[in-house]
Amino acid sequence: MNIASLTIEQVQAGLAARQFSAVELAKSALEFAQAENPKTNAYLHFCPERALAAAERVDQKLAAGENAGPLAGVPLAVKDVIVTKGVRTTCGSRLLERYVPPYDATAVVRLEQAGAVILGKTNCDEFAMGSSNENSAFGPVRNPVALDRVPGGSSGGSAAAVAQGTAVVALGSDTGGSVRQPASFCGVVGVTPTYGRVSRYGLVAFASSLDHIGPFGRTVRDAALLLETMAGRDECDSTSAFAPVPSYTAQLDGTVAGLRLGLPREYFEGLASESGDRIHQAVELLKNLGCEVREISLPATQYAVPCYYIIATAEASSNLARYDGVRYTTRANSTRANEDTLSGMYRATRGEGFGAECKRRIMLGTYVLSHGYYDAYYLKAQKVRTLIAEDFHKAFAEVDAIVAPVSPFPAFKIGEKLDDPMEMYLSDIYTITGDLAGIPCMSVPCGKTSEGLPVGMQILAKHFDEAGMFRLADAFEKAGGFAGSN
Amino acid sequence: MKITEPEVRYVAGLANLKLTDSEITRLAKDMDDILTHMDALSELDTSAVEPMAQVLYQSEETATLREDQPVPPLGNEIALANAPLAGAGYYKVPKVIER
């Protein structure tokens, strides 16, 4: 058994053949992950007691001849913005360094009920704000493919853990590309489902109208299995969708011949040449599979970055107001005059606790919502969001899915882009549109640059057409031999 | 100039953020740069466009309504477990009202 390259299917087969028990697997996986973690800083902390308890439950069920679930014994990493009862959940922030949630996120409950074994919590940009994982209060994550480079963000730790082999699958969260972009940088599969497909209960809120929980895997099949296990209506999240959840994995392996795919011309402007080459080769491969490819236009794309950064920061400034030194573990120590009042304590706690990127976004969000600016920024952005969603709606009348790059460039060097926040925001151009429209989208590996850096291809589909998206990604992955290619 | 340092200080007050002078200077520059990019939206005529309130429309408006049913609460002790300062079953904060 090679822990670093296991798939869910191999875990199932190993358990069924009694090659190892779930407890043995959990112990080996924890030992391996803890030994490897100093290289990348992908995990912030481990939860061995919880992992072993979950593994014991699996072994007991197996011993009793019961069904231990579709994820029985599968080592899982969870991004540290998703709450875990009794296990610290820091959101990559000093402010929540000691926060121990009193409840589990619905996604976590469902995956554990299906037999998953949570090894620990993964590093991320503070409150999921960033595209490089350099905004974590607990240090950056290094890309396991090239240790001097970023893993992408904000779910950089989850992507790195799956790429490094210190988890079989992982949970991330995506508000503007935070699952797909790190998946592309690390050479793994990352999925942003339809808005509302997975309950957000227990996902610490960044921008509620854009936030999604999404899976990472080394294969399309593993990511699809994780998603179908945790998706579906949840009474604890009124925005979670009622639509029934089909089995995505049961629909893999079908033909994709005759599928109509759109290439949005706006997504190829400003694309680094080698990344563009890989995408164009991917398109050739899709044509060989019998897909019909045509150029399409999504004209509102050029307005997506400003639209997104107005809406996301506005919602963030409101959501992050709760971290005021009263309820969540951290209060400023300073006792200087003027901070002895309630509002002084709020200001000092927030001023000392939030990192630079969170402060920048809280400030922008407060500004765009403030008196005299609301119509010009927030209301305008909500209208532009309608235009971006309408672009997709029109496109999906002509095509079954859209194929595009994930990021304008592959993983960059740590520190390289820290000084220019606007440049970092602009790099989110290809991923934020899917979140603004609420459609399912994913990154699937499609090769490497001459320096060996992974490139991801993005697939975007209609609302609730995860099944079609996965079928295309699976066929592509198999035809290109890209499974576990990182 | 989209935003000045005094305006940055005003917004920091609204956001309950205590910032250092160097943070104010840096934010004024960054916010100016970002707000200038955001101005691109004003090129678009959106007079006939509805602002988006919800990305999915399929559900009926009453779909999320349900009977009110009491369930056991979290409990005082658990709810206060993450408080930086608690006492007598309450969150403790600096005094708000002068005696």
Side-chain angles (χ1 to χ4, degrees):
Chain A
M1 168 182 72
N2 179 4
I3 283 197
S5 64
L6 276 180
T7 63
I8 293 175
E9 242 170 359
Q10 288 165 351
V11 172
Q12 307 288 298
L15 287 173
R18 314 256 161 173
Q19 282 173 340
F20 47 78
S21 69
V23 168
E24 283 165 354
L25 176 61
K27 281 182 178 163
S28 312
L30 276 166
E31 197 181 309
F32 180 66
Q34 285 170 323
E36 291 293 303
N37 200 48
K39 290 181 191 162
T40 59
N41 198 27
Y43 284 89
L44 290 174
H45 37 269
F46 293 91
C47 49
E49 282 177 25
R50 182 166 177 152
L52 292 176
E56 268 166 33
R57 286 195 299 275
V58 168
D59 281 339
Q60 280 162 11
K61 281 188 183 168
L62 290 174
E66 293 169 33
N67 183 351
L71 300 174
V74 173
L76 168 74
V78 176
K79 185 180 183 181
D80 212 20
V81 295
I82 298 171
V83 302
T84 39
K85 187 176 180 177
V87 175
R88 275 193 306 140
T89 301
T90 68
C91 297
S93 179
R94 288 273 168 228
L95 270 175
L96 293 182
E97 198 170 0
R98 293 182 301 279
Y99 176 57
V100 181
Y103 70 106
D104 278 321
T106 298
V108 163
V109 170
R110 291 184 180 177
L111 295 180
E112 278 193 332
Q113 277 171 354
V117 173
I118 299 174
L119 302 182
K121 306 297 292 291
T122 51
N123 204 344
C124 55
D125 286 300
E126 185 176 9
F127 289 103
M129 296 177 184
S131 311
S132 67
N133 216 119
E134 293 167 290
N135 299 328
S136 167
F138 308 110
V141 174
R142 285 173 290 283
N143 190 323
V145 179
L147 291 170
D148 58 339
R149 292 178 186 262
V150 303
S154 67
S155 313
S158 289
V162 172
Q164 195 178 6
T166 54
V168 173
V169 282
L171 287 187
S173 67
D174 194 311
T175 304
S178 283
V179 166
R180 287 159 288 156
Q181 187 253 23
S184 77
F185 279 17
C186 294
V188 298
V189 176
V191 181
T192 310
T194 305
Y195 181 78
R197 184 68 296 183
V198 175
S199 169
R200 289 183 293 111
Y201 184 65
L203 169 62
V204 175
F206 158 14
S208 307
S209 81
L210 296 159
D211 289 344
H212 308 70
I213 288 178
F216 288 95
R218 286 191 285 270
T219 65
V220 173
R221 175 174 287 273
D222 282 0
L225 182 56
L226 210 60
L227 183 61
E228 73 189 29
T229 308
M230 65 180 164
R233 175 68 187 174
D234 172 25
E235 230 182 44
C236 295
D237 173 7
S238 64
T239 62
S240 69
F242 286 90
V245 183
S247 170
Y248 305 129
T249 49
Q251 297 177 65
L252 299 179
D253 302 322
T255 178
V256 294
L259 270 187
R260 300 165 303 165
L261 304 180
L263 289 186
R265 78 170 70 96
E266 293 82 1
Y267 286 56
F268 292 83
E269 293 159 9
L271 181 61
S273 62
E274 279 205 81
S275 301
D277 290 347
R278 293 295 89 76
I279 303 293
H280 288 299
Q281 282 172 358
V283 169
E284 290 309 309
L285 186 56
L286 290 166
K287 284 182 187 166
N288 290 341
L289 290 171
C291 297
E292 180 198 313
V293 179
R294 63 181 82 170
E295 189 178 270
I296 60 168
S297 176
L298 301 167
T301 303
Q302 60 171 308
Y303 302 104
V305 170
C307 173
Y308 172 83
Y309 276 95
I310 290 168
I311 294 170
T313 60
E315 293 187 21
S317 72
S318 170
N319 276 326
L320 270 54
R322 73 193 68 177
Y323 306 108
D324 57 6
V326 177
R327 286 159 292 167
Y328 295 98
T329 67
T330 304
R331 179 177 293 185
N333 304 320
S334 51
T335 50
R336 288 183 289 270
N338 196 31
E339 280 160 23
D340 211 15
T341 62
L342 183 59
S343 68
M345 185 278 285
Y346 290 159
R347 284 166 202 221
T349 297
R350 293 162 60 77
E352 291 171 21
F354 285 122
E357 183 60 30
C358 281
K359 285 180 188 169
R360 191 151 45 227
R361 297 202 192 190
I362 290 169
M363 289 290 289
L364 279 166
T366 305
Y367 179 83
V368 299
L369 289 175
S370 65
H371 184 69
Y373 296 106
Y374 179 88
D375 285 2
Y377 289 104
Y378 187 72
L379 188 65
K380 184 80 181 183
Q382 293 285 54
K383 291 181 173 184
V384 175
R385 187 174 180 182
T386 299
L387 294 177
I388 289 166
E390 282 175 357
D391 273 1
F392 281 110
H393 186 71
K394 284 177 201 154
F396 286 127
E398 291 176 37
V399 297
D400 301 305
I402 293 171
V403 169
V406 176
S407 166
F409 35 70
F412 47 88
K413 294 225 164 95
I414 292 174
E416 190 181 320
K417 293 187 194 293
L418 266 184
D419 285 339
D420 189 346
M422 194 61 224
E423 195 198 335
M424 195 80 99
Y425 296 174
L426 287 169
S427 74
D428 297 340
I429 176 71
Y430 306 138
T431 48
I432 52 185
T433 50
D435 295 286
L436 286 166
I439 57 175
C441 30
M442 66 186 289
S443 175
V444 57
C446 69
K448 290 182 176 176
T449 66
S450 53
E451 287 182 280
L453 302 173
V455 178
M457 175 179 82
Q458 188 174 200
I459 303 173
L460 305 98
K462 280 179 271 233
H463 283 145
F464 297 107
D465 188 23
E466 281 85 358
M469 178 177 80
F470 282 130
R471 195 162 54 240
L472 180 62
D474 177 63
F476 175 77
E477 179 186 69
K478 285 177 179 144
F482 293 124
S485 62
N486 70 288
Chain B
M1 277 289 268
K2 299 293 299 174
I3 190 162
T4 62
E5 287 195 13
E7 286 171 313
V8 172
R9 287 179 200 279
Y10 171 72
V11 175
L14 294 177
N16 273 328
L17 278 177
K18 191 180 88 168
L19 300 174
T20 63
D21 287 345
S22 64
E23 283 179 312
I24 299 275
T25 307
R26 172 78 204 248
L27 276 166
K29 180 194 162 293
D30 288 347
M31 290 175 73
D32 192 61
D33 194 16
I34 295 162
L35 290 168
T36 302
H37 271 87
M38 288 176 172
D39 268 355
L41 298 192
S42 61
E43 296 166 8
L44 269 176
D45 178 7
T46 51
S47 51
V49 181
E50 284 290 313
M52 179 181 285
Q54 165 59 308
V55 290
L56 300 172
Y57 324 91
Q58 289 89 344
S59 300
E60 293 168 38
E61 282 186 22
T62 54
T64 57
L65 299 181
R66 58 164 174 76
E67 289 294 308
D68 234 0
Q69 282 168 348
V71 292
L74 203 51
N76 187 278
E77 202 178 312
I78 295 171
L80 289 173
N82 281 296
L85 196 61
Y90 293 95
Y91 292 104
K92 287 173 108 176
V93 296
K95 131 179 116 172
V96 183
I97 304 165
E98 295 296 325
R99 280 175 198 270

